[in-house]
Amino acid sequence: MLIANYITSAWRNILRHKLFSIINIMGLAIGLAAVMLIALYVRYETSYDSFWKNADNIYRMQMQSEIPGLGSYSFTNVSSQTLETIKKAFPQIKYGSRIIKTQTIIQNNSDYTKENIEMVDTEISKIFDFKVISGDLNVALENSNAIILNQSMTNKYFPNTDALGKTLTLDFNFFKQDYIVSAIIEDIPPNSQIDISSMVLFNKNKWKEYTRRFENWYVPVTQTYFSLNDGVNIDQINGQMPNVLDQYFARFSALQPDNKNSDYLTFNSINIQDIHLKAEGIGEPKPRGSMANVINFSIVASFILIIASINFMNLSTARSTRRAKEVGIRKIAGANRGMLIRQFLGEAVMLTTIALLISICLVEVLLPFLSNFISAEIKLNYFSWDMLKIIIIAFSVGIVSGLYPSFVLSSYRPVQVLKSNMNGESNYASKIRLFLVVIQFSTSILLIVITTVVYSQILYTSIKDLGFKKENLILIEDTDNEKVLAKQKLLIGELKRIPGISNVTTSSFAPGRTNEIIDDFRTSEMEYGKTISINSDGIGYNFFKTYEIPLLAGREFDVNRKDKQTTLEQIRSGNGEISSIILNRASLQKFGFRSAEAAIGKTLFMKIGEADEKLERKYNIVGVVPDFHLYSLKKEIAPTVYFLMPDNGPFISLRYNGEKSSITRDVRNLWKQQLPELPFTFSYVSDLVTSQYKSEFTEAVMFAAFSGLAIFIACLGLFGLASFTAERRTKEIGIRKVFGAEVWQIVKLLVWQFSKPVLIANIIAWPIAYLTMSRWLESFVYRIDDMVIIALCLIAGLTALLIAWATVAGNSYAVARQNPIKALRYE
């Protein structure tokens, strides 16, 4: 009965002050909802499964190259040779397996589909905890003619039937083989960094025609996992890797005579639990989480919670100061201090409870949009530690905000309160409240700056001249298949005949598709043995014309000239002719050429063959092109040479000037006509360029959304405080109007009172915002200027000030227009 009385009394007081109650509830509800959404996103980013047997003892080997003049490259893959080598060098390694992702054409009766097939070693079942549905996994991993499928692949190729014992024909391009389904496993959890849908045993002999991929010591093609014997520390392995690299690995081709492997290369191992957030490098099979995003959005959540909490506490304490007379009357009527404390705390907790319920409803409404935006299913688990934390935070805010009226106002002596007509508002309390408003708007301004800087950088990347025209380009991928190569000339000729296609070319690289191949060159002025390591890429005829890249000097490769590079066999037999090569601007200084024109006609020598053969391929420089951005602006344009490779390559690029869907349909029909057994894989180059900044775009949109919520919450609080201030100064406003004050003068008075904390907030927020965003932009090689950050700080500050003025002015104007007689009769 007593509790019911407290609840009834608290509810009446909430209804009596509807405006403040609504502002309080909505501000805290929106804040809690935003915090819950961010917490769920962070939980998704940081989650990983328990797919492995003993996570603390499983590691992946990674590689980093640091070649002078070419910058740093990190790879999550290492060479096929690495596992065998480290198992010999380190007896501490218990089990090890390679995972080699290979695109394969699967023939199932008359259907042809392209799939990723993982080639693995037998010991993979000793490392990872595959859940076997049927068949014998260990037996299957011993059989080079067996294939293991997960449930999804099984349902795709053998729906409503027992797949065990059935046959699938796999075309690996270099060989074709029938595989028998020998085991079926459960799908690996989607939050795993391991991405395996089907497995076959890696048999190196079957790939003997593709020796560069599996025999080269430094071509990163395999994910290499291993586990250690009990009691072994991974630091022992990582610490000895430089010596192992120098003693056991073949000599790295880019080394100068007085260097060793460990001068240019670093091999280290990372625990499998750290891969999702801490791994770096090219070759991750699935998108990684971002530790930076986790930190950034955790900070945003803290900011929003601070703003919402300050709102709630400010409005609660501000309104409570108007209840001093009520406290005096209640004490005279017999209420003791404990009863008053329980009443004030009860009101605060009730407001918090209502806000928490509303916030949960908001989260349920917004979760589908968040899940769709980040392309992942996120759900709110009501029986989780995260939910308990939110409840604790919400009630903590309510209790803290109720402490002031509970303990301060309940301590007033009733005679003193009623005699002096005090309102409970001290100068000290006003200063504290303004200080909290400063914190509130400092965080709001900081969020505005962060959002605008991120958006500005993304806008910069979208409008920056990349050096080529990305629009109206179609990229056909995976064209280094033997069947495609056999018909490539015919295919290119037919593509050129399609109405609307103006140019066709081939290449070993493409926008957003890296091709990290490094060769060793020397100029004619350099003595034999001294070389310069530089990126080299193969292109077909009309490549620069297709991508609309103008030449700085010289010419492009010409089908009517002898531009093709001579083969190794020709050079060994002494019949090698001089080949042609094209340089980019970044390589001029590396080779010591003063200008593009000065480089034309010069000779370069590339080291080829075995070291003891001392063979070189001779090149004549026929052209120089400007630097162009095929990869992310986070990466500096590397010095690169381009040689003619018209007969093979994984990409065909088409420049078109007709209607996109019509051109795509015609190209697809031609492909099906000429290569019916190969799936057609293509992309629009403009989409590939945009996708390189997808994570930044996602981050920017989410920042903008949550920053908008934070600013809205801050405005709610400011509106409530302005209403409270105007109400408290009603009699003062009436007197001023009687003495001739105009409405605009009164509005100006109240607006200026709230302008001061916003101006102070700007002074606090600007340096923090500048330093934070300058550091964030350091990850981009090509970025907006620091002066832009300064300008955006000024704009953010002015925006916050205008928002504050608009919020306060509207409320102040309504009060200032009231009849002064009503104001003088107030209280």
Side-chain angles (χ1 to χ4, degrees):
M1 187 66 183
L2 186 62
I3 295 175
N5 288 337
Y6 280 129
I7 293 174
T8 304
S9 177
W11 183 249
R12 285 174 180 169
N13 276 298
I14 290 172
L15 293 178
R16 191 184 309 153
H17 311 295
K18 289 181 182 177
L19 177 62
F20 283 88
S21 298
I22 291 172
I23 292 175
N24 245 351
I25 290 170
M26 290 310 300
L28 186 58
I30 294 171
L32 290 174
V35 170
M36 277 192 276
L37 288 171
I38 293 175
L40 291 169
Y41 170 73
V42 169
R43 172 65 66 188
Y44 163 75
E45 279 285 277
T46 56
S47 65
Y48 61 88
D49 63 271
S50 56
F51 166 58
W52 31 81
K53 289 181 181 293
N54 183 5
D56 294 332
N57 199 31
I58 300 177
Y59 298 89
R60 185 178 73 187
M61 185 68 73
Q62 304 191 138
M63 180 177 77
Q64 182 173 351
S65 65
E66 193 78 41
I67 303 174
L70 290 182
S72 176
Y73 291 92
S74 297
F75 301 91
T76 63
N77 293 333
V78 292
S79 69
S80 174
Q81 309 272 36
T82 300
L83 180 63
E84 299 167 355
T85 305
I86 62 174
K87 288 184 75 174
K88 291 177 183 177
F90 299 109
Q92 302 98 314
I93 294 178
K94 189 174 183 180
Y95 301 116
S97 176
R98 293 161 290 195
I99 300 177
I100 307 170
K101 185 181 292 295
T102 306
Q103 283 209 331
T104 308
I105 305 299
I106 294 184
Q107 180 181 348
N108 185 25
N109 297 323
S110 60
D111 294 328
Y112 296 89
T113 54
K114 184 176 291 184
E115 299 284 0
N116 287 322
I117 302 293
E118 309 299 328
M119 296 190 294
V120 301
D121 293 298
T122 303
E123 291 181 352
I124 193 169
S125 63
K126 309 290 186 183
I127 301 174
F128 300 113
D129 189 17
F130 296 103
K131 303 295 188 298
V132 181
I133 297 174
S134 59
D136 191 319
L137 180 62
N138 292 323
V139 171
L141 287 170
E142 295 284 351
N143 186 354
S144 62
N145 297 317
I147 185 170
I148 298 105
L149 304 179
N150 69 358
Q151 282 179 294
S152 296
M153 287 280 283
T154 303
N155 294 334
K156 180 176 180 179
Y157 289 99
F158 304 102
N160 305 318
T161 185
D162 184 7
L164 283 181
K166 296 293 193 298
T167 300
L168 287 175
T169 302
L170 272 58
D171 185 351
F172 289 95
N173 186 21
F174 292 93
F175 70 91
K176 188 175 182 179
Q177 179 181 324
D178 290 339
Y179 284 85
I180 299 172
V181 180
S182 302
I184 298 171
I185 59 175
E186 288 185 4
D187 289 1
I188 294 174
N191 60 338
S192 172
Q193 284 299 127
I194 309 299
D195 185 24
I196 298 177
S197 58
S198 57
M199 296 183 287
V200 298
L201 183 65
F202 175 49
N203 188 333
K204 194 172 182 178
N205 292 329
K206 293 181 179 179
W207 292 83
K208 58 186 178 181
E209 294 185 30
Y210 200 11
T211 55
R212 180 172 176 80
R213 181 173 190 183
F214 295 115
E215 291 186 3
N216 191 298
W217 284 84
Y218 302 105
V219 174
V221 294
T222 73
Q223 300 270 322
T224 299
Y225 294 89
F226 61 90
S227 62
L228 300 176
N229 290 314
D230 295 339
V232 178
N233 192 311
I234 191 60
D235 292 338
Q236 299 175 24
I237 306 294
N238 287 334
Q240 295 176 42
M241 270 308 297
N243 293 330
V244 171
L245 189 58
D246 294 331
Q247 294 178 21
Y248 290 85
F249 282 65
R251 184 174 173 81
F252 187 44
S253 61
L255 293 178
Q256 296 300 314
D258 54 346
N259 289 124
K260 54 185 184 295
N261 288 338
S262 57
D263 292 334
Y264 287 6
L265 300 169
T266 302
F267 279 58
N268 70 315
S269 302
I270 183 172
N271 186 266
I272 197 167
Q273 297 172 98
D274 297 329
I275 290 175
H276 185 63
L277 289 176
K278 298 180 181 179
E280 296 180 355
I282 302 165
E284 198 70 63
K286 293 177 70 175
R288 287 187 292 261
S290 169
M291 179 59 76
N293 277 356
V294 170
I295 294 172
N296 292 341
F297 283 106
S298 297
I299 293 172
V300 171
S302 301
F303 283 174
I304 292 175
L305 187 60
I306 288 170
I307 292 171
S309 301
I310 288 174
N311 260 12
F312 195 85
M313 289 185 284
N314 261 352
L315 293 176
S316 295
T317 55
R319 187 60 195 170
S320 66
T321 59
R322 304 295 293 166
R323 299 174 64 180
K325 187 180 293 185
E326 174 192 336
V327 170
I329 295 173
R330 283 181 178 273
K331 280 194 169 185
I332 290 174
N336 58 39
R337 189 179 183 190
M339 294 171 63
L340 293 171
I341 289 173
R342 287 190 289 272
Q343 178 190 334
F344 284 121
L345 283 176
E347 289 179 18
V349 170
M350 184 173 289
L351 284 173
T352 301
T353 303
I354 297 171
L356 180 61
L357 294 174
I358 294 174
S359 69
I360 292 172
C361 294
L362 289 173
V363 168
E364 290 290 0
V365 170
L366 296 174
L367 263 183
F369 297 98
L370 177 63
S371 297
N372 182 64
F373 183 69
I374 65 174
S375 302
E377 187 176 3
I378 299 179
K379 294 181 179 180
L380 177 61
N381 184 1
Y382 292 97
F383 303 99
S384 64
W385 282 109
D386 289 338
M387 194 67 203
L388 181 60
K389 290 174 186 176
I390 290 293
I391 293 172
I392 292 173
I393 289 171
F395 283 103
S396 297
V397 171
I399 291 171
V400 170
S401 65
L403 288 178
Y404 177 82
S406 298
F407 290 93
V408 177
L409 295 184
S410 64
S411 66
Y412 290 153
R413 296 173 59 188
V415 174
Q416 182 184 3
V417 172
L418 296 175
K419 182 178 179 181
S420 61
N421 196 28
M422 64 186 291
N423 61 13
E425 175 79 348
S426 66
N427 187 47
Y428 175 76
S430 297
K431 289 181 179 178
I432 290 294
R433 191 170 298 117
L434 289 178
F435 170 72
L436 293 176
V437 171
V438 169
I439 296 176
Q440 203 175 34
F441 270 87
S442 295
T443 53
S444 298
I445 293 165
L446 187 58
L447 287 174
I448 294 173
V449 175
I450 290 172
T451 303
T452 52
V453 169
V454 172
Y455 259 120
S456 298
Q457 177 63 23
I458 291 175
L459 180 62
Y460 174 81
T461 61
S462 65
I463 64 174
K464 177 176 170 55
D465 183 11
L466 300 178
F468 71 96
K469 187 178 178 183
K470 62 183 180 180
E471 292 77 17
N472 292 11
L473 268 178
I474 294 176
L475 186 73
I476 304 176
E477 304 185 46
D478 305 323
T479 60
D480 53 350
N481 184 284
E482 283 187 338
K483 294 182 178 63
V484 180
L485 297 178
K487 291 188 173 183
Q488 191 179 77
K489 287 185 179 180
L490 171 64
L491 193 63
I492 290 176
E494 292 298 316
L495 287 170
K496 289 179 178 179
R497 295 176 60 182
I498 294 177
I501 292 181
S502 56
N503 273 300
V504 182
T505 190
T506 60
S507 62
S508 63
F509 61 99
R513 305 289 194 261
T514 57
N515 179 46
E516 311 297 346
I517 301 297
I518 296 171
D519 287 309
D520 301 315
F521 290 83
R522 69 177 179 90
T523 63
S524 56
E525 288 79 18
M526 298 170 62
E527 62 181 70
Y528 180 84
K530 296 287 185 180
T531 59
I532 295 171
S533 298
I534 194 167
N535 286 299
S536 62
D537 286 321
I539 59 175
Y541 295 110
N542 298 317
F543 175 85
F544 300 110
K545 188 175 182 180
T546 302
Y547 277 79
E548 297 192 2
I549 301 171
L551 272 71
L552 295 176
R555 63 175 177 83
E556 196 168 348
F557 295 129
D558 191 337
V559 69
N560 297 315
R561 302 198 186 199
K562 295 181 179 181
D563 287 333
K564 287 185 181 180
Q565 63 179 5
T566 52
T567 65
L568 178 59
E569 288 71 23
Q570 287 176 316
I571 295 174
R572 281 174 174 162
S573 63
N575 297 322
E577 298 180 354
I578 191 167
S579 308
S580 298
I581 201 167
I582 296 174
L583 278 59
N584 70 347
R585 188 201 298 268
S587 65
L588 293 177
Q589 184 177 2
K590 194 170 180 65
F591 285 119
F593 300 129
R594 296 188 308 275
S595 64
E597 291 76 11
I600 302 299
K602 295 293 192 300
T603 303
L604 294 178
F605 301 87
M606 186 181 83
K607 185 168 65 175
I608 60 173
E610 302 298 330
D612 57 354
E613 292 183 285
K614 296 184 178 181
L615 297 177
E616 293 181 309
R617 181 181 286 122
K618 189 176 181 181
Y619 288 98
N620 180 46
I621 300 173
V622 298
V624 179
V625 295
D627 297 334
F628 51 95
H629 298 274
L630 284 182
Y631 311 131
S632 168
L633 293 181
K634 289 185 175 182
K635 183 177 179 181
E636 189 172 3
I637 296 175
T640 306
V641 297
Y642 304 96
F643 57 86
L644 182 59
M645 188 186 68
D647 301 325
N648 53 33
F651 303 103
I652 295 178
S653 301
L654 318 172
R655 167 72 61 187
Y656 65 91
N657 50 32
E659 203 274 320
K660 182 167 67 174
S661 60
S662 175
I663 296 291
T664 305
R665 184 186 64 249
D666 291 342
V667 174
R668 187 193 303 274
N669 291 337
L670 174 64
W671 184 275
K672 287 183 177 180
Q673 177 186 340
Q674 296 294 331
L675 300 161
E677 70 276 23
L678 295 180
F680 179 62
T681 306
F682 78 101
S683 303
Y684 297 110
V685 170
S686 57
D687 294 339
L688 292 177
V689 172
T690 302
S691 68
Q692 295 181 66
Y693 310 101
K694 183 178 179 180
S695 62
E696 284 80 12
F697 175 76
T698 301
E699 187 178 348
V701 172
M702 291 180 67
F703 260 120
F706 290 118
S707 297
L709 288 176
I711 294 163
F712 178 73
I713 295 168
C715 290
L716 275 178
L718 201 62
F719 179 81
L721 284 179
S723 301
F724 164 74
T725 302
E727 180 184 338
R728 188 165 60 86
R729 300 175 68 174
T730 299
K731 187 173 288 188
E732 174 194 338
I733 291 170
I735 294 172
R736 287 180 179 274
K737 291 193 72 174
V738 168
F739 278 92
E742 299 289 340
V743 170
W744 70 269
Q745 292 175 316
I746 295 171
V747 172
K748 176 184 174 183
L749 177 71
L750 295 174
V751 166
W752 174 243
Q753 178 179 344
F754 287 97
S755 297
K756 288 185 285 186
V758 177
L759 292 171
I760 296 171
N762 277 301
I763 296 172
I764 295 172
W766 286 348
I768 298 173
Y770 176 81
L771 294 173
T772 301
M773 297 319 294
S774 291
R775 187 168 182 178
W776 179 78
L777 287 169
E778 287 175 1
S779 63
F780 291 86
V781 176
Y782 306 93
R783 43 164 284 189
I784 58 176
D785 192 80
D786 281 353
M787 291 303 296
V788 176
I789 305 177
I790 295 174
L792 292 175
C793 284
L794 295 172
I795 293 172
L798 181 61
T799 301
L801 194 61
L802 291 174
I803 290 172
W805 284 352
T807 303
V808 175
N811 191 300
S812 303
Y813 180 75
V815 174
R817 288 184 68 248
Q818 289 183 358
N819 191 323
I821 301 299
K822 290 184 179 179
L824 293 175
R825 291 174 59 190
Y826 184 73
E827 297 185 346

